[in-house]
Structures are given as C-alpha cells and as structure tokens.
Amino acid sequence: MDPKAILSAVENQEGLIEETLRALVQQESPSEDPQAVNAAVGLVEQWAEEIGARSKRHRQHQFGDVLELRFGPSRSKQKPILLLGHLDTVWPLGTLKSMPWRKANGRLWGPGVLDMKAGVVMALAAVRSLQQLKLAHPITLLLNSDEEVGSTISRPITEKLAGDSSAVLVLEPAQGLAYKTARKGVGQYNVQVTGVGAHSGVDFERGHSAILELTKLVQTISGFTNLQRKLTVNCGVIAGGTRSNVVPSHASAEVDVRIAKASDAAYVDRLFRKLKVSDPHCKLTITGGINRPPMERKSGTIALFKKARELAAQIGFSLEEASTGGGSDGNFTAALGVPTLDGMGAVGDGAHAAHESVVIEHLVPRTALLAAMIASIE
C-alpha cells in the first residue's frame, strides 16, 4: 500500500469530487423532511452502485431511510471497516436561495457542504481509488438520516454494524485541521414546575408561582457545572406563565449537559433527581438524561490516530488530534469499545452557520488519507 499512489488516484478524481458534491448539496435534505432526505439517499445509492456497492435501505417513516452500502468481497476473513456518516442537515428546504452552491475564494459553499456532505463524497472517492489500485478490503458505508436530531432511529443500526467491524472511521468535519480523538457525551433534561395559578391583583396570596420556583432551580442547576471534570450544564431555554397579571401555574427549562467521562452520566443524573422545590404547593417533574455517551480517548482510538499521522506525513502534510464538546454517531461506536477515529471528513468553517464552506485544497489529500487508512487497517 503506497500512500503516494493513492494520492495520485484521488487527484485524478478531483473534478468528479466537486461535481458529485455539488449535486448532493443542491439536493437539500433537512432531517425533518423524509422525502427530501430520501432523494439524497437515492443519489448516493446510485453513485455507490455504479462502483459495485451492495445496497440495503433500512426503511423509515418518521425520518428518511438509513443507507447501508457494502464494498469489497462479500466473504472475507477480515472484519469490515465501518465508514460512518449522515445525509440529513440542519437546513430547511429553500435555504439554497439564500445560501446557493458556489465556488469562490478557494472554497465550496452551500447548506450541508461541510456537515457533512463533503465527507460522504470523500468516502465514495476513497473507495474508487482503492478499487483502481486493487486494494480490496471489506467496507461498510453507513449513512444515517437523523443524526442532526439525536439519532434515535439510526442508533441501533449503527451499534450493530459497529459491533461487527474492526474499526470505525467517522466522516464528520475535521476540528480545524485535526482529527477528533475525543468527544463529549451529550444529554438533555427537561425541568417542569407546576404551581398554582391566581389573579395577581385579586388573589395573589392564593397563587404559588411556578416561575419563581424554576428560577431558584436554574441557579442550582447552573451550579452543577464543573469545569475541572469537563462537565458543563446550560439552561438554554426557559418558558412559563401566560400573562403578567397571572401568578404562573407552569414553567419549564430545557437543559443541555455535556460530559467527558461515561461515569459522569450517573453522577449528573443523581444531581437532577435530587432537585426539590422549596414551595410545597408546587410540583417538580424531571425528564430526560444523557442520550449520547462520550467518545473517550482510549487505546484503540489512539492507535488509529498514530497510524493516520504516519500516513499523512507520507502523503505530505502534518496531522494533529483534538477533542470537542460536540457529539456525533462516533460516540455510540466508541462507547462499545470499537476503535473509532472521528473528524475524517472535510476541512472548512461554518457548520450550522450561514458561512458554511469547505476548503478545496484539503479535499484531495484528506480523501487520500481516508483511503490509506482503510487500506492499512487489518
């Protein structure tokens, strides 16, 4: 396996990579629109079948279909490598009008181009390069349809395929120029307070304010943050009341939680379950929890990164590692103990933002590195 030969094979696809990425970005695919996501699924399925993929759609109703693509020998003593990505985006239909596909300033622009349609196109290009060089290896490319909204329907599929794989390479964008070797776990709690409503002028004494109780709880909850253990708790949304002249009978808060260690999931949950209201006439209800375990920097991931760094040097660039507070579907696979390396997609800026873009100069070498990693993993 010669990384330079792989680089050359990818360089020959430079125009095709851009053409394919343009078509995929121009097929908008918001998570909440199954029909739109399935249109993107259909595009990728067609491209993959043209290079010999064995395709399986996991049919869904609430979200788009989950696409499973198999490359390489159907029977092999080697476990497959799982390439993990998603086709849904955060952008609603019609975003192309204000964020059109364009090529300018050394970048490619458009909704979902970085997060993470470029990663999907890079995976297909990597497979083509390996085929041209006769570097056969069983590969599974799994593209989920609900990653941006929690991966509720795709998680069991991801975990099953990961359990059958030797390693997982996640096609999410790089962290700057770095691969991701650790991600925080993610959780959400909903804190609801039920009080006693009353007219604030006529019957003030009969009222028991849900908002007043919630504000006390928000102070307590915010104190759960512990930066030394990389635990953050953010009350991001609060709601309550109906009118200024009514003692509010309902109030609620949506709380985001990020943890660096799996053991902190139970710790945080205990903190939330111990919460109490000070007014006995009010009632407190806590729902939610940690829904995405952390991707911890463990030996399997470290070994993958060291291999990637060596191959990057042979291709001609230096590679660093980073951790991030955001989650991905790689959190699930890492939590199973399967070696997982994340951030193997495109380099760019503005994921989930109006300036979302991909830096063109990094597409070919990063795709070559992805292909070299596939070829090098036993």
Side-chain angles (χ1 to χ4, degrees):
M1 191 276 293
D2 179 4
K4 288 290 187 181
I6 292 176
L7 176 61
S8 179
V10 175
E11 287 173 338
N12 292 333
Q13 298 183 63
E14 189 168 3
L16 179 59
I17 290 172
E18 185 176 322
E19 175 187 333
T20 306
L21 182 54
R22 175 175 183 166
L24 191 55
V25 170
Q26 290 184 326
Q27 175 52 64
E28 295 176 291
S29 51
S31 308
E32 297 82 3
D33 192 321
Q35 185 175 358
V37 173
N38 282 342
V41 168
L43 277 178
V44 176
E45 186 174 36
Q46 176 187 336
W47 297 330
E49 288 178 345
E50 288 172 356
I51 55 175
R54 302 180 298 280
S55 173
K56 177 181 179 180
R57 282 202 190 202
H58 298 264
R59 302 285 180 179
Q60 307 297 327
H61 299 289
Q62 183 180 359
F63 298 101
D65 296 338
V66 174
L67 182 61
E68 177 185 337
L69 300 164
R70 300 270 186 166
F71 300 92
S74 57
R75 292 185 179 181
S76 174
K77 293 181 180 179
Q78 287 181 299
K79 285 186 174 183
I81 294 169
L82 178 60
L83 307 182
L84 183 57
H86 63 89
L87 282 167
D88 62 315
T89 76
V90 300
W91 300 104
L93 288 181
T95 300
L96 277 169
K97 294 178 181 178
S98 59
M99 288 175 60
W101 165 271
R102 61 191 176 98
K103 181 178 181 179
N105 304 320
R107 294 173 179 259
L108 302 173
W109 307 74
V113 65
L114 177 63
D115 189 12
M116 54 159 289
K117 292 185 175 182
V120 176
V121 171
M122 289 167 65
L124 294 175
V127 170
R128 285 193 205 95
S129 300
L130 295 176
Q131 289 176 341
Q132 292 170 13
L133 296 170
K134 311 297 183 185
L135 296 171
H137 193 298
I139 300 167
T140 305
L141 172 57
L142 180 66
L143 300 175
N144 292 326
S145 59
D146 63 337
E147 192 273 346
E148 297 290 7
V149 289
S151 304
T152 53
I153 59 103
S154 62
R155 179 177 180 176
I157 302 169
T158 298
E159 292 180 333
K160 182 180 186 306
L161 293 179
D164 297 331
S165 302
S166 59
V168 180
L169 307 180
V170 186
L171 305 169
E172 292 282 355
Q175 183 84 355
L177 295 173
Y179 276 179
K180 300 168 186 175
T181 54
R183 283 183 177 272
K184 284 189 175 182
V186 184
Q188 181 169 309
Y189 285 85
N190 190 273
V191 181
Q192 295 182 317
V193 179
T194 303
V196 179
H199 191 295
S200 63
V202 178
D203 291 318
F204 183 84
E205 294 85 353
R206 294 188 179 184
H208 295 270
S209 173
I211 286 180
L212 179 59
E213 287 301 310
L214 180 65
T215 58
K216 297 175 184 177
L217 290 168
V218 166
Q219 291 290 325
T220 301
I221 291 167
S222 298
F224 294 165
T225 290
N226 186 328
L227 297 180
Q228 286 189 330
R229 64 195 299 169
K230 299 180 180 179
L231 163 64
T232 60
V233 182
N234 179 60
C235 295
V237 178
I238 58 172
T242 55
R243 294 177 180 274
S244 62
N245 62 352
V246 178
V247 176
S249 61
H250 291 89
S252 63
E254 294 178 19
V255 186
D256 177 89
V257 177
R258 306 283 164 145
I259 59 174
K261 294 186 177 181
S263 58
D264 277 346
Y267 167 75
V268 169
D269 199 66
R270 286 195 298 271
L271 292 177
F272 274 90
R273 304 305 170 186
K274 287 181 178 179
L275 289 171
K276 294 181 179 180
V277 288
S278 59
D279 185 338
H281 294 89
C282 293
K283 178 183 177 183
L284 174 63
T285 304
I286 303 285
T287 56
I290 301 296
N291 51 42
R292 203 178 287 268
M295 173 184 167
E296 298 185 52
R297 186 181 183 274
K298 293 188 174 180
S299 58
T301 293
I302 295 169
L304 285 177
F305 173 73
K306 288 181 177 178
K307 185 185 295 288
R309 185 171 55 189
E310 292 171 2
L311 292 171
Q314 293 177 52
I315 290 170
F317 66 96
S318 60
L319 184 70
E320 301 297 330
E321 63 175 308
S323 62
T324 178
S328 82
D329 287 340
N331 290 52
F332 301 133
T333 64
L336 295 175
V338 183
T340 300
L341 189 56
D342 206 330
M344 300 187 69
V347 172
D349 293 296
H352 299 196
H355 62 287
E356 183 171 6
S357 60
V358 165
V359 180
I360 296 172
E361 70 173 288
H362 296 295
L363 275 173
V364 166
R366 295 283 170 143
T367 301
L369 179 55
L370 174 63
M373 282 293 291
I374 296 169
S376 67
I377 296 173
E378 298 295 331

